[in-house]
Amino acid sequence: MKIDYTEYSPNQRIAIIAASELVGYKSCFVGIGIPSDAACLAKLSVEPELNLIYESGAIGALPLSKSYSTGSPSIAHGADMITDSLSVFSDLQAGRIDVGLLSAAQIDKFGNLNSTVIGDYDEPKIRMVGSGGAHDIACLIPNLIVLMPHDPRRFVDTVDFATSPGSGRDIKKIRDQLNLPEGPSILITDKAKFIMSDEGWLLHSILDSFTFAQATEGLPWSLKPPISGPIETDPAIISALAQINY
Amino acid sequence: MKIDYTEYSPNQRIAIIAASELVGYKSCFVGIGIPSDAACLAKLSVEPELNLIYESGAIGALPLSKSYSTGSPSIAHGADMITDSLSVFSDLQAGRIDVGLLSAAQIDKFGNLNSTVIGDYDEPKIRMVGSGGAHDIACLIPNLIVLMPHDPRRFVDTVDFATSPGSGRDIKKIRDQLNLPEGPSILITDKAKFIMSDEGWLLHSILDSFTFAQATEGLPWSLKPPISGPIETDPAIISALAQINY
Amino acid sequence: MIDKTSTVQDAIKNNVNAGDNIFIGGFGHLIPFYLSHELIRQKILDLTICRSGADILFDQLIASEIVKKVIFGYVGNPTVGLSHSFSRAYKKKSIEIEEWTNQSIIMRLHAARMGVSFIPSKILQIGDKPSNISHLKQVTCPYTDHKFSAIPALKPDIALIHAQCADKYGNIQMWGIDGDTVEGALASDKIIVSVEKIISNSKIKEAPEKTVIPSHRVSNIIELPWGAYPSYVSGFYSRDDDHYIEYDTTSRDEDKLSSYLKNWVHDARNIQEYKKLIGSTKIKELEEGLCGVKNED
Amino acid sequence: MIDKTSTVQDAIKNNVNAGDNIFIGGFGHLIPFYLSHELIRQKILDLTICRSGADILFDQLIASEIVKKVIFGYVGNPTVGLSHSFSRAYKKKSIEIEEWTNQSIIMRLHAARMGVSFIPSKILQIGDKPSNISHLKQVTCPYTDHKFSAIPALKPDIALIHAQCADKYGNIQMWGIDGDTVEGALASDKIIVSVEKIISNSKIKEAPEKTVIPSHRVSNIIELPWGAYPSYVSGFYSRDDDHYIEYDTTSRDEDKLSSYLKNWVHDARNIQEYKKLIGSTKIKELEEGLCGVKNED
């Protein structure tokens, strides 16, 4: 089925691509926003087994209306289980949660994510919200998918502050020494999918309806042509989109 | 009020004396048997503020019928709160529980308690139940009262196995170094009350109706006359006795 | 048993001292707005405030200049944006911060709650560490030789939390999303709790599994219905998302924020005044809104 | 979602291997007798069994010669007396033991459940240490220089537990006394659960606070009403104290114990047979007896 992706908003496109990546997983650590939307979309379509886990302690919910906080009523409503945050982070640290989705204000070539400061830590231009659970997820989750709107200002060579550690050759070596999982392996924008390599992000594939130039426009990394053909989307994901009230 | 203590069973007498010792405490770590009976008796009479805490996680119960296990229905029934054992032991380790009551198969001069083996550890004459929570309570509770029926076979110079560590000069020195509380400070039998000193147990006082000879008969420690007059019992404790279904 | 019910004024006056380290409960759900506002009304100074994920209540306490230090994993207005008062104070250096992550704050509280001075963790060994926690130490497992960060215990002087119900003795019942509220309370030396409703002890005993803090740990109980507004209380009322959204605009502007604080904090001398500010239309809307699991009674 | 309901035979056959380390749930309450008896019926050998405080179910497993090692804090028949099969096997050296305390077993499970290889504790630094844990290591807090024992993680291969309810997907609901049941289950790699009653997922969602284990952690669910007898299930039936008392006499004598095991374990090929053995008089008595907090439905 030929899909015209330009009919969907950038955030919807990210959720569509991300949903495909969640096939085969049973439990997903999600935050509010695009991560939550992507996980809901997957559960409604290609991966009904997926249990959504929020750091607030809610497990098994499928929030279809706008939620502002990971502790919002819409997250509690419809949950199969409500436990505490310690329990969820314990599961995370014990390797009991399969996959995580993260976003951030800045991302760099090695998948380091910044949600702390723009500028210098002690004299910042913008002081942001801090890690929340992002650092913890980036350190601990066995499979990490990063979701970023294609906004060139947010893509940098080196993040101002590495709130959530990345991957690639050097960081992976330290991760190995510390018995930590390998870190971010997939980056999804609203136009393309990237995969992590020893040298940093590699362009993996581009969403149908977009060109190589569009998919890489303004990104600071030297990008080779995609290593794979266009991203195919299961039509079930597109059909499920209507159920999510963005 | 003159009380004829010989009208009461040895276990009842222990509970009566122990109840007096619980005045002023708000929370008490109790096990099943005489400890539980003594704490109930205190709560029914001289210390209504006392919250009984069982290692099974039940808090605030007042079991008036025979309970076999710390997890028995009678312990859950009437509890104000049921949490888990980790939570109770965490409170214990954090110094958040005021007082504990323990019993054991053997006790020695320095308040070491044995509930593990009679004889050698690897080749025992009798293999008993092990520590349960007894070691943990003896290490951690700020105020520890030991309850022992006056059975000379159970009073020894040195226990065969120190399941639950005692006190006295040498052990207290190690306890200080480890930031542990001082260990058992009071021993109650069915005839007398002892207090811990640097040199081990000191006879503190004797229950009315009993003589010095009776209170010390068969005990292996060289015992001086009591340092205080006879134990006085608040008549409210005696009145409350009828409510406990032994 | 002692009756621990109190007025909000007495509970704060008798238990909180200038300079205290205060854990503030509520993780999206059950945020103790009205109870914590009393710190502002009584102008108790030099406070350290701590929790994992903090929202606009922290912003209000910081804006009121009673906070000396913030220990946190996240401070913001979830989905809506930044905590502007926090950002301003940080840039002006009028507050100290100690910046962790949500998991590490929770593990710090858990260490204190378990009575140990640290617990090992796999986090905070890679990535940039804020300068204020760059002294974080490592510890080696004596069995596996693996390296862990040593997460130091955080034992607040006092916890302020909001819950659904309590009896007058201080047995606290809570359901729905907890986050780190109970862990933080149990880690603290003293605990003050505002509740939607004071119920009988026999009602407590009917559902002892709902009790999350036992009476002997609690210093005072205050009945403050709607005390968690604009956050929510499962079984009672929903979250006022609009209030949070408008607060973003308000808090960008220091003058607007001053009048917000005068209105919602300083002049709201009792919980009835606070309810009046919310307004009956909004109250009806939030009572009928989605609010997690209803009270089963 | 996957339907995880199973027969007790398949659940054990497909998930338990000879030599496994098995956590067995139940702390006075909710002891998984019938489910664990299946280990005996299938004669799965060389097992390690672990929990904090264990009662006569451990005695039965040991008597059945399928246990190689016992990791425990307590093994006995609470108030009634000793675990005679345990004592005999220990003296004959036909089992290995690893003897801890209740708190240390729970902290060992908690370390595994938190994903770290040890946690510090103040216990097990004084008093006699059993020869099998005399290698226990110390750790020094890098902040305070205080010494702690390093409690090593205990991560069982599988947990067998009993609970009140579950849906067919494996969301487990439990209330009443837990002890270390949930902690031990969550520490384990696999979890098998027998329940009094399988309920709908929508019923689960009505009270998500009662859910203690989420579906994705559970391998199989088996509906086994009365499966926790002679222990009890809050809201369903009371504890048969007499059975425990009589078991003391039975288990002192190896022949008597053999016929007990034939009767109550080997010949009880399904849960209906087990119920028949309990008998309708006793069932009525225990259903009417004190049994903690009733099911609220």
Side-chain angles (χ1 to χ4, degrees):
Chain A
M1 192 179 84
K2 177 76 184 156
I3 296 162
D4 180 3
Y5 289 99
T6 60
E7 282 181 16
Y8 303 98
S9 74
N11 284 0
Q12 285 180 318
R13 296 200 302 267
I14 295 174
I16 290 168
I17 311 173
S20 306
E21 297 293 336
L22 295 173
V23 173
Y25 293 124
K26 301 266 180 289
S27 50
C28 180
F29 200 122
V30 285
I32 290 301
I34 308 180
S36 180
D37 293 340
C40 288
L41 199 53
K43 190 173 176 67
L44 288 166
S45 56
V46 290
E47 191 44 83
E49 285 299 304
L50 194 69
N51 241 356
L52 276 58
I53 302 176
Y54 294 86
E55 64 165 324
S56 59
I59 300 178
L62 183 60
L64 300 178
S65 60
K66 175 91 173 165
S67 310
Y68 283 86
S69 160
T70 170
S72 272
S74 48
I75 304 296
H77 186 88
D80 288 323
M81 172 168 175
I82 299 180
T83 180
D84 62 11
S85 298
L86 177 67
S87 180
V88 165
F89 281 116
S90 295
D91 272 354
L92 174 67
Q93 187 165 255
R96 305 285 191 193
I97 305 178
D98 295 342
V99 62
L101 304 170
L102 278 182
S103 192
Q106 270 188 340
I107 184 170
D108 70 18
K109 188 178 176 179
F110 291 106
N112 292 295
L113 303 176
N114 178 12
S115 53
T116 304
V117 285
I118 301 296
D120 177 68
Y121 183 78
D122 292 310
E123 304 284 347
K125 275 202 293 207
I126 303 175
R127 170 67 228 193
M128 299 183 291
V129 294
S131 161
H135 168 92
D136 313 316
I137 295 168
C139 285
L140 299 172
I141 200 91
N143 298 286
L144 178 56
I145 301 171
V146 182
L147 311 181
M148 293 287 288
H150 187 116
D151 172 352
R153 291 170 303 173
R154 298 169 70 166
F155 291 72
V156 295
D157 203 63
T158 305
V159 289
D160 293 353
F161 189 90
T163 313
S164 306
S167 192
R169 187 184 290 111
D170 296 343
I171 303 178
K172 245 174 89 179
K173 199 181 290 171
I174 306 170
R175 283 178 172 270
D176 281 350
Q177 286 163 4
L178 294 167
N179 295 288
L180 296 177
E182 64 180 25
S185 56
I186 293 173
L187 163 64
I188 290 166
T189 70
D190 47 83
K191 301 191 182 74
K193 168 182 167 180
F194 299 80
I195 58 170
M196 183 54 69
S197 74
D198 276 356
E199 282 74 37
W201 294 118
L202 268 186
L203 181 59
H204 178 273
S205 44
I206 300 171
L207 202 55
D208 255 340
S209 325
F210 292 94
T211 64
F212 174 76
Q214 287 172 316
T216 60
E217 187 189 356
L219 302 196
W221 319 316
S222 60
L223 291 160
K224 294 179 194 151
I227 58 174
S228 178
I231 298 170
E232 301 264 347
T233 301
D234 188 322
I237 296 178
I238 304 290
S239 313
L241 209 51
Q243 293 181 59
I244 293 182
N245 178 13
Y246 283 93
Chain B
M1 192 179 84
K2 178 76 183 156
I3 297 162
D4 180 4
Y5 291 99
T6 59
E7 282 181 16
Y8 303 97
S9 73
N11 285 359
Q12 286 180 317
R13 296 199 303 265
I14 295 174
I16 289 168
I17 310 173
S20 306
E21 297 293 334
L22 295 173
V23 173
Y25 294 123
K26 302 267 180 285
S27 51
C28 181
F29 201 122
V30 284
I32 289 301
I34 308 179
S36 180
D37 294 341
C40 288
L41 199 53
K43 190 173 177 66
L44 287 167
S45 57
V46 288
E47 191 44 82
E49 285 299 303
L50 195 69
N51 241 357
L52 275 59
I53 302 177
Y54 294 86
E55 64 166 326
S56 59
I59 300 178
L62 183 60
L64 299 177
S65 59
K66 175 92 174 167
S67 311
Y68 283 85
S69 160
T70 169
S72 272
S74 48
I75 305 297
H77 185 87
D80 288 323
M81 172 167 175
I82 300 179
T83 180
D84 62 11
S85 299
L86 177 67
S87 180
V88 165
F89 282 116
S90 295
D91 271 353
L92 174 67
Q93 188 165 254
R96 305 284 191 193
I97 304 179
D98 295 343
V99 61
L101 304 171
L102 279 181
S103 192
Q106 270 188 340
I107 183 170
D108 70 18
K109 186 176 175 179
F110 291 107
N112 293 295
L113 303 177
N114 178 12
S115 53
T116 304
V117 286
I118 301 295
D120 177 68
Y121 183 78
D122 292 308
E123 306 282 348
K125 273 202 295 207
I126 303 173
R127 169 67 228 194
M128 298 183 291
V129 295
S131 161
H135 168 92
D136 314 316
I137 295 169
C139 285
L140 299 171
I141 199 91
N143 298 287
L144 177 56
I145 301 171
V146 183
L147 311 182
M148 293 288 287
H150 186 116
D151 173 354
R153 290 170 304 173
R154 299 170 69 168
F155 291 72
V156 296
D157 204 63
T158 305
V159 288
D160 294 354
F161 190 90
T163 313
S164 307
S167 191
R169 187 183 291 111
D170 296 343
I171 303 178
K172 244 174 89 180
K173 198 182 291 171
I174 305 169
R175 283 178 171 269
D176 281 349
Q177 285 163 5
L178 294 167
N179 295 287
L180 297 177
E182 63 179 26
S185 56
I186 293 173
L187 162 63
I188 290 166
T189 70
D190 48 83
K191 301 189 182 76
K193 167 183 168 181
F194 299 80
I195 58 171
M196 183 53 70
S197 74
D198 277 355
E199 282 73 38
W201 293 118
L202 268 184
L203 180 59
H204 178 272
S205 44
I206 300 172
L207 202 56
D208 256 339
S209 325
F210 293 94
T211 64
F212 173 78
Q214 287 171 315
T216 59
E217 188 189 355
L219 303 195
W221 319 316
S222 61
L223 290 159
K224 292 177 195 152
I227 58 175
S228 177
I231 298 169
E232 301 265 344
T233 301
D234 188 320
I237 297 177
I238 304 290
S239 313
L241 209 50
Q243 293 180 59
I244 295 182
N245 179 12
Y246 283 92
Chain C
M1 300 289 284
I2 295 171
D3 183 338
K4 289 175 177 170
T5 55
S6 170
T7 63
V8 65
Q9 290 83 1
D10 286 347
I12 295 294
K13 189 164 35 166
N14 297 335
N15 289 291
V16 186
N17 298 307
D20 272 358
N21 180 352
I22 308 184
F23 171 81
I24 294 185
F27 201 93
H29 185 216
L30 295 173
I31 301 178
F33 276 92
Y34 191 84
L35 175 61
S36 306
H37 285 166
E38 187 63 21
L39 299 169
I40 302 175
R41 284 187 289 269
Q42 294 191 21
K43 216 170 171 37
I44 303 183
L45 299 176
D46 294 327
L47 299 177
T48 294
I49 53 176
C50 64
R51 64 170 290 98
S52 58
D55 78 9
I56 66 172
L57 174 56
F58 266 47
D59 192 277
Q60 295 163 7
L61 294 167
I62 294 166
S64 303
E65 299 180 340
I66 59 170
V67 174
K68 188 179 148 198
K69 186 173 180 179
V70 186
I71 301 176
F72 68 100
Y74 167 102
V75 186
N77 186 340
T79 303
V80 177
L82 304 182
S83 167
H84 300 295
S85 303
F86 167 72
S87 298
R88 276 192 298 268
Y90 180 74
K91 288 189 186 179
K92 279 195 301 189
K93 300 192 192 297
S94 64
I95 50 166
E96 294 167 37
I97 71 164
E98 201 185 293
E99 176 158 20
W100 298 79
T101 70
N102 279 10
Q103 180 170 353
S104 52
I105 290 283
I106 291 165
M107 292 188 79
R108 292 192 64 190
L109 295 166
H110 188 52
R113 189 258 180 291
M114 287 206 301
V116 290
S117 55
F118 78 101
I119 32 180
S121 174
K122 295 178 181 170
I123 59 169
L124 290 175
Q125 298 186 98
I126 50 173
D128 287 337
K129 274 203 278 269
S131 45
N132 49 75
I133 67 161
S134 56
H135 63 281
L136 186 72
K137 300 237 162 73
Q138 271 195 328
V139 63
T140 303
C141 173
Y143 303 104
T144 63
D145 273 339
H146 289 169
K147 299 260 183 276
F148 291 96
S149 58
I151 307 289
L154 172 60
K155 188 159 82 108
D157 297 308
I158 188 161
L160 305 184
I161 69 168
H162 190 83
Q164 277 96 346
C165 303
D167 63 14
K168 62 183 177 182
Y169 310 126
N171 292 299
I172 311 300
Q173 296 200 326
M174 187 187 288
W175 61 91
I177 285 176
D178 161 6
D180 59 354
T181 302
V182 172
E183 198 67 29
L186 293 174
S188 302
D189 284 335
K190 288 190 279 188
I191 307 169
I192 299 180
V193 190
S194 58
V195 294
E196 290 296 316
K197 204 173 161 187
I198 291 178
I199 62 177
S200 68
N201 178 255
S202 60
K203 213 81 183 116
I204 295 279
K205 287 184 191 293
E206 280 172 24
E209 294 84 9
K210 281 189 187 158
T211 307
V212 293
I213 304 174
S215 57
H216 64 272
R217 292 295 311 279
V218 173
S219 299
N220 276 131
I221 292 293
I222 311 109
E223 190 175 70
L224 291 177
W226 290 86
Y229 176 89
S231 81
Y232 75 109
V233 178
S234 263
F236 288 83
Y237 47 87
S238 193
R239 188 178 194 259
D240 188 357
D241 291 332
D242 294 338
H243 193 110
Y244 277 88
I245 294 166
E246 286 159 25
Y247 187 79
D248 182 66
T249 314
T250 305
S251 59
R252 282 173 192 270
D253 180 311
E254 290 188 72
D255 289 339
K256 276 191 193 150
L257 183 56
S258 282
S259 45
Y260 175 97
L261 290 172
K262 182 175 186 309
N263 208 17
W264 282 93
V265 180
H266 293 283
D267 291 352
R269 307 297 307 180
N270 55 53
I271 195 70
Q272 288 75 24
E273 292 294 322
Y274 197 67
K275 262 186 87 169
K276 240 182 252 167
L277 288 167
I278 304 170
S280 54
T281 314
K282 183 64 96 175
I283 282 180
K284 193 154 179 293
E285 178 195 324
L286 296 175
E287 278 176 345
E288 288 167 359
L290 189 67
C291 61
V293 174
K294 296 280 179 190
N295 195 333
E296 285 162 15
D297 300 329
Chain D
M1 299 289 284
I2 296 171
D3 183 337
K4 290 176 175 169
T5 56
S6 170
T7 63
V8 65
Q9 290 83 2
D10 287 348
I12 295 294
K13 188 163 38 166
N14 298 335
N15 289 290
V16 185
N17 299 307
D20 273 358
N21 181 352
I22 308 184
F23 171 81
I24 294 185
F27 201 94
H29 185 216
L30 294 173
I31 301 178
F33 276 92
Y34 192 83
L35 174 61
S36 306
H37 285 166
E38 186 64 21
L39 299 168
I40 302 175
R41 284 186 289 268
Q42 293 191 22
K43 213 168 173 43
I44 304 184
L45 298 176
D46 294 327
L47 299 176
T48 294
I49 53 175
C50 65
R51 66 168 291 98
S52 58
D55 77 9
I56 66 172
L57 174 56
F58 266 47
D59 192 276
Q60 295 164 8
L61 294 167
I62 293 167
S64 302
E65 298 179 344
I66 59 170
V67 174
K68 188 179 148 199
K69 186 174 180 179
V70 186
I71 302 176
F72 69 99
Y74 168 103
V75 186
N77 187 340
T79 304
V80 177
L82 304 182
S83 167
H84 300 295
S85 303
F86 167 72
S87 298
R88 275 192 299 270
Y90 179 76
K91 287 189 187 178
K92 278 196 302 192
K93 299 192 193 300
S94 63
I95 50 166
E96 295 166 41
I97 70 164
E98 201 185 291
E99 174 157 21
W100 298 80
T101 70
N102 279 9
Q103 179 170 352
S104 51
I105 289 283
I106 292 165
M107 293 189 79
R108 293 191 64 190
L109 295 166
H110 188 53
R113 189 258 179 291
M114 287 206 299
V116 291
S117 56
F118 79 101
I119 33 178
S121 173
K122 296 179 181 170
I123 58 170
L124 291 174
Q125 298 187 100
I126 49 174
D128 287 337
K129 274 202 277 274
S131 45
N132 48 75
I133 67 161
S134 56
H135 62 281
L136 186 72
K137 300 235 162 71
Q138 270 195 331
V139 63
T140 302
C141 173
Y143 303 104
T144 63
D145 273 339
H146 289 169
K147 299 258 182 276
F148 291 97
S149 57
I151 307 290
L154 173 60
K155 189 160 80 109
D157 297 306
I158 188 161
L160 306 184
I161 70 168
H162 190 84
Q164 278 95 346
C165 303
D167 63 15
K168 62 184 177 183
Y169 310 126
N171 292 299
I172 309 301
Q173 296 201 327
M174 187 188 287
W175 61 92
I177 283 175
D178 160 6
D180 58 353
T181 302
V182 172
E183 198 67 30
L186 293 173
S188 301
D189 284 334
K190 289 190 278 188
I191 307 170
I192 299 180
V193 190
S194 59
V195 294
E196 290 296 316
K197 204 175 164 186
I198 291 179
I199 62 177
S200 68
N201 178 254
S202 60
K203 212 79 185 120
I204 295 278
K205 287 184 190 294
E206 280 173 23
E209 295 84 8
K210 279 188 187 159
T211 308
V212 293
I213 304 174
S215 57
H216 64 272
R217 293 295 312 277
V218 174
S219 299
N220 276 129
I221 292 292
I222 312 109
E223 190 175 74
L224 291 176
W226 290 86
Y229 176 91
S231 81
Y232 75 108
V233 179
S234 264
F236 289 83
Y237 47 87
S238 193
R239 187 178 195 261
D240 188 358
D241 291 331
D242 294 339
H243 193 110
Y244 277 87
I245 295 166
E246 286 159 26
Y247 187 81
D248 182 68
T249 314
T250 305
S251 60
R252 283 172 191 271
D253 180 311
E254 291 187 72
D255 290 339
K256 276 192 194 149
L257 183 54
S258 283
S259 46
Y260 174 98
L261 291 171
K262 182 176 185 309
N263 207 18
W264 282 95
V265 179
H266 294 282
D267 291 352
R269 306 299 304 180
N270 55 53
I271 195 70
Q272 288 75 27
E273 292 293 323
Y274 197 67
K275 263 186 86 169
K276 239 182 254 166
L277 286 168
I278 304 170
S280 53
T281 314
K282 184 62 95 174
I283 282 180
K284 192 153 179 292
E285 178 195 323
L286 296 175
E287 278 175 345
E288 289 168 359
L290 189 65
C291 61
V293 174
K294 294 280 178 191
N295 195 334
E296 284 161 18
D297 301 330

